[in-house]
Amino acid sequence: MSKHKKVNSREVGLEIGLVFGKYFLGMEHLHYGYWTDGLEVNIHNLSQAQKNYSRFLLSHIPKGTKTILDVGCGNGRVALELVNKGYKVDCVSPSSILTRHAHNILQGKSHIFECYYEDLETENRYDLILFSESFQYINLEKALQKSLRLLNKDGYLLICDFFKTDAEGKSMLGGGHKLVKFYDLISQYAFHPIKDIDITKETLPNLKVVSDFFEEVGNPIWDLVLYFLNSNYPLFSKFLQWKYKKKIEKIERKYFSGGRNAENFSIFKSYRLLLYKKTVPDII
Ligand SMILES: C[S@@+](CC[C@H](N)C(=O)[O-])C[C@H]1O[C@@H](n2cnc3c(N)ncnc32)[C@H](O)[C@@H]1O
């Protein structure tokens, strides 16, 4: 009998966000929004902000690029925009849940490697490798080594993602490689920096939107569920709260303590668009 495979909670979280966002807000993307001046910060504008992000990202693809590898393609929406612009695109997607969406959206217009980037093996080579909010999930050294190998001569690495700053104190916000470590490491590889744009200011409103959502919707629903369980199933509820004490505390700390806010994001994270050019001939 095949061993039961556990589903990754992060992928399930992305799927829930996708289903919820699409149904209630018309959201098509899985990445942050890029909030331009004049776009009022509220949840109803999130879909527009995400479209702005894609437009901003795609505007930094260097001229002459023909082939792209979209690493961590999510639901495939960015890849589809790239295909529609005439690029030849392959994708990497380790999540079976998101890969299903990507296949539906891309309809065979793009080949999807269903694996972690770290495990990808292919003879294909690309003019540009894209990490749209997926870089933070991938081992730094392996990401750089693999990208050097998979890029054509003079190929580009385009990363749009958040990193950890060196700010002191404990952040309630997880995720991201340390920015200083990234700069240090990439300087040891055959990549030449072309662009480094700080878009923390344009992306931090997402945190306000999400923290408002948890305060106004998530928190009351959470309280209601606990109230229902305590009133109707007191023994079962006590058992659950004893058995999952640590998990429940973590959820309350993470989502309902108010620490995941825009101010903390601006202190502990730095969201950047980074473009690098490969400076050595093909590596075999
Ligand atoms: C926040 S989503 C971003 C999706 C998409 N790039 C976008 O901009 O909408 C993060 C993506 O990274 C992918 N991912 C996580 N770990 C990965 C890994 N080790 N290799 C490749 N992709 C990974 C996830 O499956 C998901 O598709």
Side-chain angles (χ1 to χ4, degrees), residues 7 11 38 75 107 155 203 257:
V7 179
E11 304 297 350
N75 64 350
Q107 296 285 322
T203 49
S257 71

Side-chain angles (χ1 to χ4, degrees), residues 1-7:
M1 219 205 305
S2 69
K3 203 166 166 256
H4 179 68
K5 195 173 167 240
K6 275 193 170 180
V7 179

Side-chain angles (χ1 to χ4, degrees), residues 5 70 126 157 196 218 243:
K5 195 173 167 240
D70 179 2
Y126 301 91
L157 187 64
D196 183 351
K243 175 103 178 116

Side-chain angles (χ1 to χ4, degrees), residues 123-178:
E123 295 299 310
N124 297 354
R125 295 294 177 264
Y126 301 91
D127 297 334
L128 184 139
I129 298 182
L130 172 67
F131 295 88
S132 168
E133 227 169 84
S134 55
F135 195 69
Q136 58 180 283
Y137 302 112
I138 302 172
N139 175 283
L140 264 183
E141 280 94 343
K142 288 186 182 161
L144 297 180
Q145 281 161 11
K146 182 134 295 192
S147 299
L148 268 186
R149 170 119 52 93
L150 296 182
L151 279 172
N152 283 325
K153 182 176 176 298
D154 296 331
Y156 292 91
L157 187 64
L158 180 57
I159 300 166
C160 204
D161 209 338
F162 62 79
F163 292 80
K164 285 186 189 129
T165 65
D166 269 351
E168 288 191 2
K170 194 161 162 38
S171 164
M172 298 296 286
L173 298 153
H177 295 295
K178 282 190 174 165

Side-chain angles (χ1 to χ4, degrees), residues 172-191:
M172 298 296 286
L173 298 153
H177 295 295
K178 282 190 174 165
L179 187 58
V180 172
K181 187 175 172 203
F182 167 77
Y183 285 141
D184 179 46
L185 197 69
I186 199 162
S187 70
Q188 299 167 35
Y189 282 79
F191 282 115

Side-chain angles (χ1 to χ4, degrees), residues 46 93 105 119 141 163-164 176 229 237 262:
L46 186 52
S93 177
I105 282 179
D119 301 332
E141 280 94 343
F163 292 80
K164 285 186 189 129
L229 287 174
S237 173

Side-chain angles (χ1 to χ4, degrees), residues 8 10-11 14 28-32 50 53-54 57 70-78 92-96 98-99 115-119 130-139 160 271:
N8 183 324
R10 194 174 61 210
E11 304 297 350
L14 285 172
E28 292 179 334
H29 290 283
L30 276 177
H31 51 64
Y32 275 37
Q50 288 183 319
Y53 179 109
S54 296
L57 179 66
D70 179 2
V71 180
C73 68
N75 64 350
R77 185 56 65 176
V78 173
V92 182
S93 177
S95 150
S96 53
L98 294 174
T99 306
C115 62
Y116 290 99
Y117 186 53
E118 296 90 325
D119 301 332
L130 172 67
F131 295 88
S132 168
E133 227 169 84
S134 55
F135 195 69
Q136 58 180 283
Y137 302 112
I138 302 172
N139 175 283
C160 204
Y271 205 123

Side-chain angles (χ1 to χ4, degrees), residues 56-284:
F56 170 78
L57 179 66
L58 269 53
S59 74
H60 290 281
I61 295 175
K63 283 206 178 72
T65 300
K66 290 194 176 67
T67 54
I68 296 180
L69 180 65
D70 179 2
V71 180
C73 68
N75 64 350
R77 185 56 65 176
V78 173
L80 182 63
E81 287 181 22
L82 292 167
V83 168
N84 289 342
K85 279 189 171 289
Y87 299 108
K88 185 176 178 318
V89 183
D90 285 348
C91 298
V92 182
S93 177
S95 150
S96 53
I97 300 175
L98 294 174
T99 306
R100 193 165 35 88
H101 284 281
H103 276 301
N104 279 342
I105 282 179
L106 287 160
Q107 296 285 322
K109 292 174 187 149
S110 179
H111 177 74
I112 305 178
F113 296 102
E114 298 184 27
C115 62
Y116 290 99
Y117 186 53
E118 296 90 325
D119 301 332
L120 175 62
E121 293 297 338
T122 174
E123 295 299 310
N124 297 354
R125 295 294 177 264
Y126 301 91
D127 297 334
L128 184 139
I129 298 182
L130 172 67
F131 295 88
S132 168
E133 227 169 84
S134 55
F135 195 69
Q136 58 180 283
Y137 302 112
I138 302 172
N139 175 283
L140 264 183
E141 280 94 343
K142 288 186 182 161
L144 297 180
Q145 281 161 11
K146 182 134 295 192
S147 299
L148 268 186
R149 170 119 52 93
L150 296 182
L151 279 172
N152 283 325
K153 182 176 176 298
D154 296 331
Y156 292 91
L157 187 64
L158 180 57
I159 300 166
C160 204
D161 209 338
F162 62 79
F163 292 80
K164 285 186 189 129
T165 65
D166 269 351
E168 288 191 2
K170 194 161 162 38
S171 164
M172 298 296 286
L173 298 153
H177 295 295
K178 282 190 174 165
L179 187 58
V180 172
K181 187 175 172 203
F182 167 77
Y183 285 141
D184 179 46
L185 197 69
I186 199 162
S187 70
Q188 299 167 35
Y189 282 79
F191 282 115
H192 176 70
I194 307 284
K195 288 183 186 177
D196 183 351
I197 307 174
D198 186 347
I199 57 165
T200 314
K201 181 172 122 338
E202 289 80 5
T203 49
L204 66 84
N206 294 288
L207 274 291
K208 174 162 174 26
V209 167
V210 172
S211 70
D212 284 356
F213 173 80
F214 276 112
E215 201 172 302
E216 285 165 34
V217 181
N219 212 344
I221 290 178
W222 178 250
D223 285 346
L224 211 61
V225 169
L226 291 181
Y227 175 68
F228 174 79
L229 287 174
N230 287 337
S231 319
N232 294 16
Y233 308 98
L235 281 181
F236 178 58
S237 173
K238 266 202 180 122
F239 170 74
L240 279 184
Q241 290 182 50
W242 165 78
K243 175 103 178 116
Y244 297 107
K245 188 168 185 283
K246 287 214 165 101
K247 282 212 161 111
I248 291 172
E249 280 172 4
K250 191 174 167 197
I251 290 175
E252 292 188 332
R253 215 175 31 247
K254 199 167 166 187
Y255 297 107
F256 305 131
S257 71
R260 290 161 72 86
N261 58 33
E263 194 193 339
N264 280 340
F265 189 80
S266 70
I267 296 172
F268 294 106
K269 305 289 172 197
S270 179
Y271 205 123
R272 312 193 84 89
L273 178 135
L274 299 148
L275 182 67
Y276 284 84
K277 187 169 185 172
K278 179 175 158 178
T279 58
V280 284
D282 287 355
I283 293 178
I284 312 297

